[in-house]
Structure formats: structure tokens, C-alpha cells
């Protein structure tokens, strides 16, 4: 609705209020015509400047540049000619070169090679300086000594000795396999001045360096520069265009049409539609003349100026046409601000007929809009606390980490926080404890309700201690408090006083205890999430009892270094695990309670107890695996470590460990033990039946079947219903009665057969049967 109100108040929005007046039309047309005239004049001036003066100036500059660069190229080539001529008359290259065996006279060959290397390094354009000696051997120093083997190479070098000139420039393809790759070469016969030369000094120029040299005569991109002998035998180009290409042929025709040997002109190539500034001239070489031609495109420079000038003219004409159209469409009273405002307000509610007074009508509409604006602001104020709380949740949880300091500051100011330069921020983290206490007003499952009540108390108290503060409800017996304080003042006393008051209220009203951690202050909003995490972690340093505690992070490090490390009850851990392994449930639960009490000593902190219980859980899981039980199957894939790390109350810790860890293990162990024990007892019974006549004891039988004697006695009673001695005695008595009835063995022999001494056998037999063995035999035989 706010956006809709802004749109209504935009000047010029909506329909026209009525027909436009003559004054406005005349002035609008005059204004637009006056504005268009400078554009037309500017466009015409730019067009004529670009079409005439600019092109002439570019052509003049191009000609001056090409003259200077052509002179530089001429000097480089002249130096090469003078150098080669000088060495050709040197005594090293006399007639004695033709009658030597360079394999035997390797020192002479080495001297020639050194000289050629000096010549080759004298100019960067030199690709190779060589000495060719004609004759039968076709010796070539290039610059190392060698003999030409292939006919193609020998023919190429022999062709150089067929000229009637002592020194000349030529283009030769020295590689017979690539005849198209010709190199610009300077040749001078040796010995210098001889009527019968037998060899030649050669300077083969690097084609790339020659192209780079010519490219200095091509200002700009997309141009062309080339050298060509007047007889057409020699040709070199910067772009690689063939001498017979359309562009080069067109340039040659244009240059030939000029009357002088050097000059410049504008050339328009019809194929591409581009205009070039062309400069040409002559270079005098050894007994020959070369023509250089340089063509640089100037269309790229002049065309944008021409386009701009034409655009200015077109825009000016268009503006003039637009002025006429706007004058025809414009409103008679558009110049009136009152009429524009009425046009905007009419979109909202059109008046019934023409209003008597425009200002009265505007005032009435403005008051109505003002009331709507106040209603919107009231709704925004109602929703602002929820928006601020949502923003704080995202900030503290680190979801706004990608925002910069400035962006976070602007968002906080948008949500009506008063942020002044030098403002500092502090965080409090509160954790309630004692919900498992039977005397409390809340029970397990009421965490959200208890947290809600605590947050309301914190809000009321914070309003009396701090100018700007906001509480955050985490709904899990925890809450946060962001405090905004000005720079240059310490709020530590107020923070401690607030914490004391809050904990007293929690004790009296909620019957619960609280731990409050106080963070250091920071001047950066982006540091608040890190500060919150550190403060939240600091709560784990609370002493593990049910008393109120204030943890000031500025004092935490000093207190932590002075506190003694709690001792871990390893003995209770071993006894507890042993009780679990042997199935002693009641004893195991009693040891577990003693273990937690030992961890929760007066100096123990929450994190110490938590780490101790996690360590115990790991030890129990190891015992479970040693017993052959998979923890994942036993716990159905649940992450017991994560569940344990979320529990803070001692009573809840005990209940959780009993129900989630000990009980499943004992149940699984009992199920597995019953079947296994039954098989072992059956094995023991079979052993007794086979060896009852021997001296058998509980220990020997237990050792035989691999069982603890105490556990064997207990299990034997559970499986057979009799204890071990009674079962063995009954087995022996049954066998003794059988021998007394069916054999004629003496009483002593019968006693030995069933594993008894004679005197003891008589006594035990009479005790169990009520008569002596002799009497039993007499009665059995009589029957």
C-alpha cells in the first residue's frame, strides 16, 4: 500500500486533467526548436570537419611519418650493402679460397666461420650470412662448413652466380621442398672487383624481421605496406598478400596513375568500402630502384565522427518533430502544479462534478491519505518486534555472514535500532537447569513453556537496565540477549546486576536455576555471530550442580588456568562395564550412578561431565563390539553421541544412559546368554555322565567346558533345577543302584566304579536311600 501511495504522489502520473493551453504549446514548441538548432549546427560543423579538414590532416601526417620511416629503412638496407661490399674486398675472400681442402685445412674453415658469424650478428634482420663457393664440390659456409648434396640446393646457389651484376638483391627459395617460401637475399660476388668470381657472399634476411621493418610504415591496424622492385622480381609485404591480390593490384594501379615518383593520396577500395591514406616513394638500391607503398585505413577514425555528426543532425530533427507531437498532446494546464496534484488525487477518488475550491478538495484528500499512512505505520510497528527477532536469529546463527558491515548496519537502522558512531555490542547467553527436579513447576517436555516465561522476565528486566536490548528465544531452555551500548562506558556492573536479578526471578517464580554467560564487547556487527558462539560455548564451563552461575568471558581464561583438572573415575568405569558384561543389572545401575557422582564433583564443569559421559559411552560401545554385538544394530542406527551431547541434567543423563545404552545391551546379552548357557550346561551334563566315576569337581568341570565356576554353578541350577553336587551325586547313586541290582560286584568295587571311597559311599548311600548298600542289594534280589 505504501508503494501505491508513492505512485499516487508522483508528479505527472495518471491521465491529463483537461485540454492544454496555447501558452504552453507555443512555449514548448519554441523551447524544443531552440534546443534543436544548436544540435543541427554542431552536427553540420562536425560533418564538414570530418569530411574535409580531418581527412587532409590525417593524409598529411601519414605522408610525413612514412617519409621518415622509409628513410630509416633505406639507411638499414644501405648499411647491409656497404658491410657486404666491404667484406667482399677483404683478403680473406680472395682466389685462394677456391683451391683448398677445408677438411684438411680446418683452421682456415674455422676462420671463415668466425668472420661470417661476426657479419651475421651485425644486424638483427640477418637470418643467415653465408659464403658459397661454386665448382664441383659446391661448398657452402652457412656459416659452418658444408657441402651441398642435393641437386635442388646446388641449383639454387649456382643460380646466384649467373647474374651480370657484381652485387644485387634477389628473392630465392633455398628449400627445394618449399619453393613458395622465398627469402630476401643480398648477394655480392667474391673476390670483390674480380672479372671471374668463383663464389658469393650471401645475406639472407629473416622474413619476419623484414615484415616487422615494413610494419613500422603502417600506422594503425588493417593497413598494407610492401616493397617491390621496378622490374617486379622482388616483393615483400607486411600482411602476406600476394602481389597479384586485388588490393595490391588496385594500389599499384593507383600509384602508377600518379605523375610523381613519391607522394600521397586518399584511396577508396571499392571491395571493402574503406578509405586509405596512401604514401609511396622510391628507394635506390644497387643498380636498381624499389618502390614502397604504405596504405593505412582512416575510415575507423573518420567514420565515428561522421556517424556522430549525422546522429546529431538526426536527433535534432527528431527532437523538433517530437516537440510538435508533444505540443499537440500536452495538457492546457500542465504547467500548473495545482492541476498536476489534482490529477494524481483524481486517480484515487474522482470528485462529483467540478470542485468549488481545488485547495479544499486537496486538503480533504491529503488528510485521508495521512490517516491511511498512520494506520500502515501502526501495523508496521506491531510487526517490527517479530521482524527484529527474525533478523537477530539469522545474525546470531551466522546466516548473514555474506553481508558486509555497512549492509548489516543499514538493515539494523531500517529496523529502528539507534546506531550511533562508536556503538558497541554485547551478547548474553542464558541456560536454564533443574527442569528434571521434582520440586520444580515444570517437567520434562515443558522446555518451550519454561523458556517463554524466562524470556518475558529477561525483557522486563533488560528494559530497566539498558537503553537498547533485544531478547532471542531459542525454545530449548536457552535464550540470548543482544545489548547495544555507547562507546566509552563499561557496562560490566549493570550486566552482573541484571544477571543476578534475572537468576533470582527464575529461582522464585520458575523454581529453576540459570547459568548466564557474558561476552566481551565489540564494535563490529559482523563479529556478533562469532561472539555469540563463544558465549554459548562458555556456558559449558559452568560447575555441574544446580546453583546459579555467572560466567564472565573476560575472567574465564584466568579462572580456567587456576582451576584444577577433575579426575576421571577409571575404576568405576571398569567395574560398571564388567557388571554389564556379566549381566548384573542392579549393580551396573548403582555403579553408573556412582560414576556420574564422581564426575559431578564440586569443581567439575559441565563440559568435563559431558566429556566424561561421552568417554564412558565410547568404552561401553567398545565392550558391546567385543561381545560380538553390532552397536548400529543394537541402537537401530541412532547417533547416541549426538543424543548424549544434548542432555545437561544429571537425572536425565542417568535415565538416558540406563534406558538407551545399558538396558538394550543387557537385554541382548541376556537373550544371547540363555541359548549359549543352555548348550554349555548340556555339555557339562554329558561330561558328568561320561566321567562320573572319576574325581570330578565344579572347578574341573568348569575348566573343561570353558566357563567360570561361579557362573557354572548358577547356570546349572537355572537349567537343570538342581545344583552341581546334587546332580553329580544323583547320577552316581543311580549307577550304583544299577550295579547293586544287576552285578555281583563287591560293595567296595561298586563304590570305586561310581567314584566314591567305600566309607563315604556307605554313608552317602544310607543318607539318600535310607538303607545301606548291602541291604539295598538284599531287597532287590528278594524282589
Amino acid at each position: 500500500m505504501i508503494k501505491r501511495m508513492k505512485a499516487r504522489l508522483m508528479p505527472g502520473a495518471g491521465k491529463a486533467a483537461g485540454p492544454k493551453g496555447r501558452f504552453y504549446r507555443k512555449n514548448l514548441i519554441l523551447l524544443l526548436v531552440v534546443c534543436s538548432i544548436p544540435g543541427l549546427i554542431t552536427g553540420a560543423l562536425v560533418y564538414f570537419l570530418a569530411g574535409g579538414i580531418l581527412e587532409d590532416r590525417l593524409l598529411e601526417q601519414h605522408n610525413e611519418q612514412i617519409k621518415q620511416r622509409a628513410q630509416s629503412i633505406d639507411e638499414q638496407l644501405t648499411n647491409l650493402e656497404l658491410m657486404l661490399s666491404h667484406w667482399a674486398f677483404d683478403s680473406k675472400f680472395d682466389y685462394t679460397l677456391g683451391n683448398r681442402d677445408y677438411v684438411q685445412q680446418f683452421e682456415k674453415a674455422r676462420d671463415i666461420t668466425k668472420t661470417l658469424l661476426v657479419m651475421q650478428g651485425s644486424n638483427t634482420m640477418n637470418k643467415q650470412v653465408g659464403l658459397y663457393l661454386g665448382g664441383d664440390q659446391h661448398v657452402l659456409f652457412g656459416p659452418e662448413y658444408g657441402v651441398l648434396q642435393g641437386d635442388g640446393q646446388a641449383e639454387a646457389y649456382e643460380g646466384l652466380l649467373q647474374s651480370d651484376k657484381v652485387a644485387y638483391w634477389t628473392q630465392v627459395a633455398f628449400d627445394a621442398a618449399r619453393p613458395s617460401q622465398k627469402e630476401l637475399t643480398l648477394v655480392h660476388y667474391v673476390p670483390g672487383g674480380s672479372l671471374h668470381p668463383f663464389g658469393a657472399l650471401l645475406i639472407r634476411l629473416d622474413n619476419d624481421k623484414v615484415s616487422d621493418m615494413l610494419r613500422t610504415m603502417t600506422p594503425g591496424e588493417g593497413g598494407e605496406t610492401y616493397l617491390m622492385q621496378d622490374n617486379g622480381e622482388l616483393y615483400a609485404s607486411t600482411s602476406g598478400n600476394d602481389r597479384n591480390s586485388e588490393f595490391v593490384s588496385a594500389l599499384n594501379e593507383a600509384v602508377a596513375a600518379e605523375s610523381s615518383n613519391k607522394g600521397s593520396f586518399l584511396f577508396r577500395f571499392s571491395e571493402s568500402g574503406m578509405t586509405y591514406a596512401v604514401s609511396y616513394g622510391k628507394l635506390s638500391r644497387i643498380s636498381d630502384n624499389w618502390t614502397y607503398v604504405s596504405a593505412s585505413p582512416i575510415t575507423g577514425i573518420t567514420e565515428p565522427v561522421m556517424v556522430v555528426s549525422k546522429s546529431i543532425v538526426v536527433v535534432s530533427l527528431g527532437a523538433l518533430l517530437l516537440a510538435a507531437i508533444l505540443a499537440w498532446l500536452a495538457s492546457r494546464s500542465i504547467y500548473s502544479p495545482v492541476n498536476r496534484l489534482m490529477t494524481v488525487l483524481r486517480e484515487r477518488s474522482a470528485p462529483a462534478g467540478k470542485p468549488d475550491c481545488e485547495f479544499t478538495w486537496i486538503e480533504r484528500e491529503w488528510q485521508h491519505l495521512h490517516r491511511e499512512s498512520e494506520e500502515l505505520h501502526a501495523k508496521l510497528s506491531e510487526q517490527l518486534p517479530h521482524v527484529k527477532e527474525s533478523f537477530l536469529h539469522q545474525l546470531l546463527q551466522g546466516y548473514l555472514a555474506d553481508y558486509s558491515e555497512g549492509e548489516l548496519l543499514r538493515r539494523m537502522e531500517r529496523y529502528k535500532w539507534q546506531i550511533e558512531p562508536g556503538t558497541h555490542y554485547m551478547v548474553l547467553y542464558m541456560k536454564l537447569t533443574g527442569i528434571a527436579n521434582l520440586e520444580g513447576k515444570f517437567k520434562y517436555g515443558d522446555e518451550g513453556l519454561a523458556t517463554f516465561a524466562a524470556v518475558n522476565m529477561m525483557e522486563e528486566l533488560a528494559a530497566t537496565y539498558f537503553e537498547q536490548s533485544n531478547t532471542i528465544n531459542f525454545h530449548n531452555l536457552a535464550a540470548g540477549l543482544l545489548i547495544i551500548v555507547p562507546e566509552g562506558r563499561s557496562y560490566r556492573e549493570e550486566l552482573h546486576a541484571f544477571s543476578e536479578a534475572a537468576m533470582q526471578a527464575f529461582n522464585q517464580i520458575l523454581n529453576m536455576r540459570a547459568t548466564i554467560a557474558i561476552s566481551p564487547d565489540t564494535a563490529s556487527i559482523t563479529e556478533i555471530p562469532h561472539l555469540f558462539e563463544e558465549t554459548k560455548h562458555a556456558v559449558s564451563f559452568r560447575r555441574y550442580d544446580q546453583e546459579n552461575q555467572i560466567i564472565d568471558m573476560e575472567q574465564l581464561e584466568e579462572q580456567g588456568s587456576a582451576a584444577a583438572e577433575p579426575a576421571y573415575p577409571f575404576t568405576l568405569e571398569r567395574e560398571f562395564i564388567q557388571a554389564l558384561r556379566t549381566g548384573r543389572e542392579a549393580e551396573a545401575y548403582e555403579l553408573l550412578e556412582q560414576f556420574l557422582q564422581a564426575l559431578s564433583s564440586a569443581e567439575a564443569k559441565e563440559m568435563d561431565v559431558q566429556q566424561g559421559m561421552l568417554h564412558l559411552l565410547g568404552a561401553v560401545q567398545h565392550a558391546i563390539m567385543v561381545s560380538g554385538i553390532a552397536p548400529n544394530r543394537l541402537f537401530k542406527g541412532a547417533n547416541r553421541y549426538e543424543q548424549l551431547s544434548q542432555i545437561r541434567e544429571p537425572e536425565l543423563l542417568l535415565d538416558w544412559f540406563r534406558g538407551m545404552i545399558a538396558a538394550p545391551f543387557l537385554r541382548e546379552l541376556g537373550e544371547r546368554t540363555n541359548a549359549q548357557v543352555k548348550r554349555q550346561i548340556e555339555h557339562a551334563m554329558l561330561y558328568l555322565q561320561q566321567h562320573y566315576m572319576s574325581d570330578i569337581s565344579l572347578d574341573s568341570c568348569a575348566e573343561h567346558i570353558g566357563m567360570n565356576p561361579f557362573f557354572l554353578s548358577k547356570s546349572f541350577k537355572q537349567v537343570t533345577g538342581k545344583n552341581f553336587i546334587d546332580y553329580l551325586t544323583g547320577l552316581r547313586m543311580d549307577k550304583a543302584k544299577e550295579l547293586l541290582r544287576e552285578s555281583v560286584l563287591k560293595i567296595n568295587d561298586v563304590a570305586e566304579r561310581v567314584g566314591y571311597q567305600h566309607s563315604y559311599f556307605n554313608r552317602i548311600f544310607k543318607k539318600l536311600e535310607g538303607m545301606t548298600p548291602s541291604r539295598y542289594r538284599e531287597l532287590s534280589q528278594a524282589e
Side-chain angles (χ1 to χ4, degrees):
M1 186 177 291
I2 294 175
K3 293 183 178 179
R4 188 161 65 249
M5 291 175 60
K6 290 182 178 178
R8 291 172 184 167
L9 297 176
M10 289 292 291
K15 298 180 180 178
K20 299 190 167 79
R22 296 175 184 175
F23 176 79
Y24 174 74
R25 288 200 302 270
K26 290 180 181 180
N27 283 276
L28 182 61
I29 293 173
L30 179 61
L31 177 63
L32 293 176
V33 169
V34 170
C35 292
S36 300
I37 289 175
L40 294 173
I41 296 174
T42 302
L45 289 175
V46 172
Y47 179 82
F48 289 115
L49 286 173
I53 299 175
L54 181 60
E55 289 183 346
D56 294 341
R57 182 59 182 164
L58 288 174
L59 182 61
E60 181 181 349
Q61 290 182 354
H62 181 267
N63 191 28
E64 292 297 328
Q65 291 178 4
I66 299 307
K67 281 183 180 180
Q68 296 175 4
R69 295 171 182 174
Q71 183 178 357
S72 175
I73 293 174
D74 183 56
E75 291 175 356
Q76 292 186 57
L77 297 178
T78 301
N79 289 336
L80 287 175
E81 293 169 353
L82 292 175
M83 180 193 70
L84 191 64
S85 176
H86 169 75
W87 284 104
F89 283 91
D90 193 273
S91 59
K92 294 180 180 179
F93 304 105
D94 54 13
Y95 283 104
T96 60
L97 297 178
N99 298 323
R100 290 181 180 272
D101 183 358
Y102 291 100
V103 176
Q104 296 294 329
Q105 301 179 4
F106 64 90
E107 292 184 355
K108 182 62 176 179
R110 184 176 60 184
D111 187 31
I112 294 173
T113 298
K114 289 182 178 179
T115 303
L116 295 177
L117 287 173
V118 171
M119 295 171 63
Q120 181 172 311
S122 63
N123 196 297
T124 59
M125 290 194 302
N126 294 344
K127 177 181 180 181
Q128 181 179 340
V129 176
L131 170 65
Y132 173 70
L133 302 177
D136 296 335
Q137 293 186 355
H138 302 294
V139 175
L140 174 65
F141 286 88
E144 300 290 339
Y145 167 76
V147 178
L148 298 178
Q149 300 296 334
D151 295 337
Q153 284 189 330
E155 290 177 0
Y157 283 95
E158 280 295 326
L160 298 176
L161 300 179
Q162 306 304 319
S163 176
D164 56 352
K165 301 175 182 178
V166 175
Y168 62 94
W169 289 88
T170 185
Q171 272 187 317
V172 183
F174 292 97
D175 190 351
R178 294 180 287 182
S180 62
Q181 295 187 1
K182 296 183 178 182
E183 299 176 1
L184 188 61
T185 306
L186 176 59
V187 182
H188 199 297
Y189 291 161
V190 293
S194 173
L195 298 177
H196 303 286
F198 61 87
L201 281 171
L202 314 173
I203 298 180
R204 294 165 56 183
L205 301 186
D206 190 329
N207 288 337
D208 294 336
K209 298 295 180 61
V210 173
S211 296
D212 292 341
M213 177 185 69
L214 296 178
R215 199 168 287 115
T216 61
M217 299 174 65
T218 311
E221 296 292 334
E224 173 68 280
T225 299
Y226 60 88
L227 289 173
M228 188 169 62
Q229 282 183 330
D230 290 349
N231 57 13
E233 293 182 359
L234 185 145
Y235 173 81
S237 170
T238 58
S239 63
N241 286 329
D242 188 76
R243 73 180 69 190
N244 297 322
S245 65
E246 294 183 4
F247 183 61
V248 174
S249 299
L251 279 176
N252 286 334
E253 291 178 2
V255 171
E258 297 292 321
S259 58
S260 60
N261 290 333
K262 60 181 178 179
S264 60
F265 59 89
L266 293 176
F267 171 70
R268 183 171 181 81
F269 187 45
S270 59
E271 295 295 332
S272 62
M274 296 183 65
T275 302
Y276 293 84
V278 180
S279 297
Y280 66 96
K282 296 289 185 178
L283 296 177
S284 296
R285 300 269 58 83
I286 303 175
S287 66
D288 203 351
N289 288 322
W290 292 4
T291 299
Y292 66 86
V293 179
S294 174
S296 298
I298 63 172
T299 305
I301 301 175
T302 59
E303 186 175 3
V305 181
M306 302 289 287
V307 171
V308 170
S309 62
K310 293 177 182 178
S311 300
I312 294 174
V313 175
V314 172
V315 170
S316 300
L317 293 174
L320 185 60
L321 178 61
L322 180 62
I325 297 174
L326 291 177
W328 182 68
L329 295 175
S331 171
R332 179 180 60 188
S333 302
I334 198 171
Y335 58 88
S336 173
V338 175
N339 202 30
R340 289 200 301 270
L341 183 57
M342 289 185 64
T343 302
V344 174
L345 295 177
R346 279 193 181 97
E347 286 189 352
R348 185 179 181 277
S349 61
K354 186 175 181 180
D356 296 334
C357 180
E358 292 84 357
F359 286 100
T360 302
W361 183 74
I362 291 173
E363 182 181 2
R364 184 173 63 252
E365 291 298 318
W366 180 260
Q367 289 176 352
H368 185 70
L369 291 174
H370 180 66
R371 285 195 299 271
E372 287 187 354
S373 175
E374 288 183 342
E375 291 176 0
L376 290 175
H377 280 290
K379 292 180 180 178
L380 180 61
S381 299
E382 292 177 0
Q383 298 298 324
L384 187 60
H386 304 288
V387 176
K388 294 174 73 173
E389 184 177 4
S390 176
F391 170 78
L392 285 180
H393 268 286
Q394 297 180 47
L395 178 64
L396 295 181
Q397 299 298 337
Y399 299 141
L400 305 179
D402 293 336
Y403 284 76
S404 64
E405 181 77 17
E407 291 172 335
L408 293 175
L409 178 61
R410 286 190 293 271
R411 289 193 63 177
M412 294 186 70
E413 291 176 343
R414 192 186 313 153
Y415 296 147
K416 307 303 181 183
W417 270 294
Q418 302 297 325
I419 308 298
E420 302 293 338
T423 297
H424 283 226
Y425 310 91
M426 306 179 72
V427 176
L428 267 71
Y429 186 81
M430 183 275 299
K431 185 69 176 179
L432 292 174
T433 56
I435 194 170
N437 188 356
L438 296 178
E439 299 178 358
K441 295 184 178 182
F442 300 96
K443 60 182 179 179
Y444 189 69
D446 295 337
E447 291 86 350
L449 183 60
T451 310
F452 177 76
V455 168
N456 289 337
M457 298 178 192
M458 290 178 65
E459 285 182 347
E460 294 180 3
L461 288 172
T464 62
Y465 282 90
F466 312 108
E467 296 179 2
Q468 292 191 77
S469 63
N470 291 89
T471 56
I472 308 97
N473 188 348
F474 297 112
H475 307 283
N476 59 351
L477 299 179
L481 181 66
L482 176 65
I483 304 171
I484 303 175
V485 298
E487 186 181 17
R489 179 183 171 187
S490 175
Y491 273 76
R492 288 289 159 184
E493 294 183 2
E494 288 86 344
L495 289 170
H496 282 266
F498 165 79
S499 301
E500 293 286 353
M503 290 188 296
Q504 186 177 1
F506 299 154
N507 299 159
Q508 295 175 354
I509 300 175
L510 304 180
N511 201 11
M512 297 181 69
R513 302 295 181 263
T515 300
I516 297 179
I518 304 174
S519 75
D521 62 341
T522 179
S524 173
I525 303 176
T526 56
E527 291 296 323
I528 294 178
H530 307 290
L531 210 61
F532 171 73
E533 288 299 325
E534 293 176 359
T535 310
K536 183 178 179 181
H537 177 68
V539 175
S540 63
F541 286 88
R542 74 179 181 92
R543 295 188 307 276
Y544 208 73
D545 51 30
Q546 298 300 321
E547 299 300 325
N548 297 322
Q549 298 174 48
I550 298 176
I551 301 175
D552 194 332
M553 292 181 61
E554 290 186 350
Q555 305 171 0
L556 183 62
E557 182 176 355
E558 180 180 352
Q559 294 173 355
S561 60
E565 294 291 336
Y568 182 81
F570 288 100
T571 303
L572 290 174
E573 176 195 288
R574 289 193 297 270
E575 293 177 356
F576 170 66
I577 293 175
Q578 183 63 27
L580 286 179
R581 286 176 174 173
T582 56
R584 293 172 286 163
E585 182 176 356
E587 184 180 351
Y589 290 160
E590 182 180 352
L591 288 169
L592 177 61
E593 187 173 353
Q594 294 177 9
F595 180 86
L596 183 57
Q597 290 176 355
L599 283 179
S600 308
S601 61
E603 298 299 327
K605 297 180 176 58
E606 179 183 295
M607 62 182 301
D608 300 327
V609 177
Q610 200 73 26
Q611 293 295 328
M613 294 304 293
L614 288 171
H615 186 275
L616 178 62
L617 176 58
V620 172
Q621 289 218 90
H622 179 265
I624 292 173
M625 289 188 291
V626 170
S627 300
I629 303 173
N632 285 336
R633 181 184 61 81
L634 181 64
F635 301 139
K636 299 179 181 180
N639 188 345
R640 297 305 191 204
Y641 287 100
E642 182 179 357
Q643 294 175 0
L644 178 59
S645 63
Q646 303 301 321
I647 303 175
R648 299 292 186 270
E649 303 288 338
E651 294 82 359
L652 297 180
L653 272 175
L654 281 175
D655 293 342
W656 182 89
F657 220 100
R658 290 170 184 158
M660 296 298 177
I661 303 299
F665 179 44
L666 290 172
R667 185 168 53 252
E668 178 74 14
L669 196 62
E671 293 174 357
R672 293 184 56 184
T673 302
N674 291 337
Q676 184 178 0
V677 167
K678 186 175 181 181
R679 289 194 298 269
Q680 288 180 315
I681 297 304
E682 291 175 352
H683 187 196
M685 293 169 64
L686 180 61
Y687 177 77
L688 292 177
Q689 293 170 8
Q690 294 174 350
H691 300 86
Y692 66 89
M693 70 291 297
S694 303
D695 185 13
I696 298 178
S697 64
L698 178 65
D699 292 339
S700 63
C701 184
E703 182 179 359
H704 176 74
I705 64 175
M707 184 180 288
N708 181 275
F710 172 78
F711 188 66
L712 174 60
S713 177
K714 179 181 177 181
S715 302
F716 203 96
K717 175 71 173 178
Q718 292 175 349
V719 174
T720 64
K722 300 179 180 179
N723 59 41
F724 180 82
I725 298 299
D726 291 343
Y727 180 83
L728 178 59
T729 302
L731 184 63
R732 286 174 170 175
M733 288 300 102
D734 291 342
K735 189 63 177 177
K737 287 189 288 185
E738 180 183 349
L739 292 174
L740 290 173
R741 290 194 307 267
E742 300 177 0
S743 71
V744 293
L745 292 174
K746 295 180 180 181
I747 303 300
N748 291 343
D749 295 334
V750 172
E752 291 179 0
R753 289 285 184 93
V754 296
Y756 286 125
Q757 293 181 359
H758 179 260
S759 58
Y760 183 74
F761 175 68
N762 286 334
R763 187 166 59 254
I764 194 66
F765 193 93
K766 185 176 181 179
K767 179 180 179 182
L768 295 177
E769 299 298 330
M771 62 185 72
T772 63
S774 301
R775 181 61 180 168
Y776 177 82
R777 172 175 281 182
E778 292 175 359
L779 293 176
S780 299
Q781 291 176 355
E783 292 176 0

